[in-house]
Amino acid sequence: MSVTVTVPNDLMAGLVGPLSENLRSIQEAFPGTRIIARGNDVSVDGEEAALVARLVDELALLVERGQVVDPGVVARTLDILRADERPSEVLSAEVLRSARGRSVRPKSAGQKRYVDAIAQNVVTFGIGPAGTGKSYLAVALAVQALQAKSVERIIMTRPAVEAGENLGFLPGDMMAKIDPYLRPLYDALYDMLGTEGARRLLENGTVEVAPLAYMRGRTLNRSFMILDEAQNATPEQLKMFLTRIGFGSKVVVNGDVTQVDLPGGRSGLAELEQVLAGVEGVAFVHLGSRDVVRHRIVADIVSAYDAYEASLDGAAPRRAPGLGVAASRRSLGLGHHADQEADPARRKAL
């Protein structure tokens, strides 16, 4: 099959990229296809010529809309096409322009579904692996809502649970002690608003960052509430958080059910979709390795872990689902140093 795509002259340079690196990326993705660019025509020969032609068309549309196309964008555009979505619609949906002038927008079909779900629902759950943009996009949408005056404040929280390491006693006041747990939320906020803008909103209380335990007993009206790392919240904590919602508020709950650090592994997030099934105004968006927007190797690592976990189904012995590193070590008799100090007999035995 042979297809020729005619690209406007002013878009051709942005489409092919420096030293034709974008065309080389397309060629690598379709090794059985021959791609030749002459003038403003791109000729494609091969069994998948029609798909390659659609890819070239979509990339040209992105260039026309002012986006810079590079091999990473080529790969994401192809993933979106294979998911039967329109890349030019997905990748052109700007959420926010950050303080540094950078456009924040979805970079995959899953991320677009996530952004749309937040806009259309009161409560949205984003469930997926690291690097899928759950927290970053949620903060961007919260800042957008604040700037549009559809909410009056932003509340960002997460459970203060150690990720396998025993951090012990941290120096400083309450905020200094919980700062390491909340740092990822601060990072996203500073990126959106700049250092001075974020600091000003934090100081006047328009943006509040606090551990999950500090949500108890509150009613939050006209607030954009973000609960991050929700896989480390117990069922009771999640119920407490979700019942804080007041009038005019919007809630985003993010988590990765494959990275539970709770001792005993009893995460409230894993069962919540069954609990809230059928509740109007609640949406669940599942993201996967195709939605990872960090270094390409992160997507490969996520896929490798998924494949490994699938291969272990039915095998024994196996670590209890959801156990974090610390809990796993305790189950094997390899407790932390602090545990050994508390039990001299056990320390002597070891």
Side-chain angles (χ1 to χ4, degrees):
M1 184 177 181
S2 179
V3 180
T4 298
V5 180
T6 300
V7 180
N9 288 329
D10 58 325
L11 305 180
M12 196 64 179
L15 173 65
V16 301
L19 302 176
S20 299
E21 65 175 2
N22 294 337
L23 287 185
R24 286 201 303 274
S25 296
I26 298 173
Q27 185 69 75
E28 290 171 4
F30 298 91
T33 302
R34 183 166 171 262
I35 305 170
I36 299 174
R38 287 196 182 95
N40 63 334
D41 288 337
V42 178
S43 299
V44 186
D45 295 315
E47 293 182 0
E48 295 186 281
L51 179 57
V52 176
R54 287 179 59 204
L55 176 60
V56 171
D57 277 333
E58 291 291 334
L59 291 172
L61 279 172
L62 292 175
V63 175
E64 185 178 17
R65 294 175 183 180
Q67 290 200 51
V68 176
V69 173
D70 58 25
V73 172
V74 172
R76 287 193 292 271
T77 303
L78 180 56
D79 283 344
I80 295 169
L81 269 179
R82 285 176 167 159
D84 292 327
E85 302 274 353
R86 287 292 304 274
S88 55
E89 295 177 3
V90 171
L91 301 177
S92 297
E94 184 174 279
V95 174
L96 179 78
R97 190 163 292 274
S98 70
R100 300 175 182 175
R102 191 169 63 85
S103 179
V104 179
R105 64 181 80 235
K107 295 184 177 179
S108 70
Q111 287 191 358
K112 182 63 164 56
R113 290 195 300 273
Y114 176 62
V115 168
D116 290 342
I118 293 173
Q120 297 164 9
N121 294 276
V122 177
V123 182
T124 301
F125 291 86
I127 302 173
T132 51
K134 303 183 299 295
S135 304
Y136 196 82
L137 286 171
V139 173
L141 287 161
V143 171
Q144 179 199 56
L146 185 66
Q147 292 176 344
K149 302 188 183 302
S150 57
V151 298
E152 295 176 351
R153 57 180 171 170
I154 299 172
I155 310 291
M156 302 191 297
T157 184
R158 67 188 302 186
V161 176
E162 297 166 349
E165 303 88 353
N166 191 344
L167 301 181
F169 294 99
L170 295 172
D173 58 14
M174 185 272 291
M175 290 308 297
K177 292 178 187 296
I178 65 171
D179 185 77
Y181 300 103
L182 304 172
R183 180 51 49 186
L185 295 175
Y186 282 114
D187 290 342
L189 188 66
Y190 286 134
D191 198 33
M192 302 295 171
L193 296 171
T195 303
E196 290 304 318
R199 184 177 297 140
R200 184 172 61 255
L201 293 179
L202 286 164
E203 287 175 353
N204 65 25
T206 302
V207 176
E208 179 182 344
V209 184
L212 181 57
Y214 281 69
M215 297 296 106
R216 186 172 296 280
R218 304 176 66 181
T219 299
L220 300 169
N221 296 315
R222 291 187 58 78
S223 301
F224 198 114
M225 304 157 59
I226 301 172
L227 170 57
D228 203 31
E229 299 291 339
Q231 76 276 2
N232 288 329
T234 65
E236 294 78 13
Q237 286 177 316
L238 278 170
K239 180 181 179 181
M240 178 272 293
F241 176 76
L242 292 172
T243 52
R244 302 305 96 202
I245 304 172
F247 294 105
S249 290
K250 190 175 287 288
V251 175
V252 179
V253 179
N254 294 320
D256 178 3
V257 292
T258 68
Q259 293 191 16
V260 178
D261 300 305
L262 281 170
R266 187 171 176 251
S267 171
L269 186 61
E271 62 190 34
L272 206 55
E273 191 163 1
Q274 297 177 356
V275 174
L276 300 180
V279 176
E280 187 177 354
V282 175
F284 286 81
V285 179
H286 293 269
L287 303 169
S289 59
R290 287 183 177 272
D291 302 302
V292 173
V293 294
R294 293 179 183 169
H295 192 288
R296 193 72 181 176
I297 196 172
V298 177
D300 295 337
I301 289 171
V302 171
S303 297
Y305 268 99
D306 289 343
Y308 179 71
E309 290 293 326
S311 71
L312 291 179
D313 285 342
R318 191 179 177 190
R319 178 165 65 89
L323 280 178
V325 176
S328 299
R329 287 174 58 83
R330 284 193 290 273
S331 69
L332 295 173
L334 300 174
H336 291 298
H337 179 71
D339 297 331
Q340 298 171 27
E341 292 285 354
D343 190 346
R346 184 164 174 243
R347 185 178 71 248
K348 183 176 180 181
L350 289 174

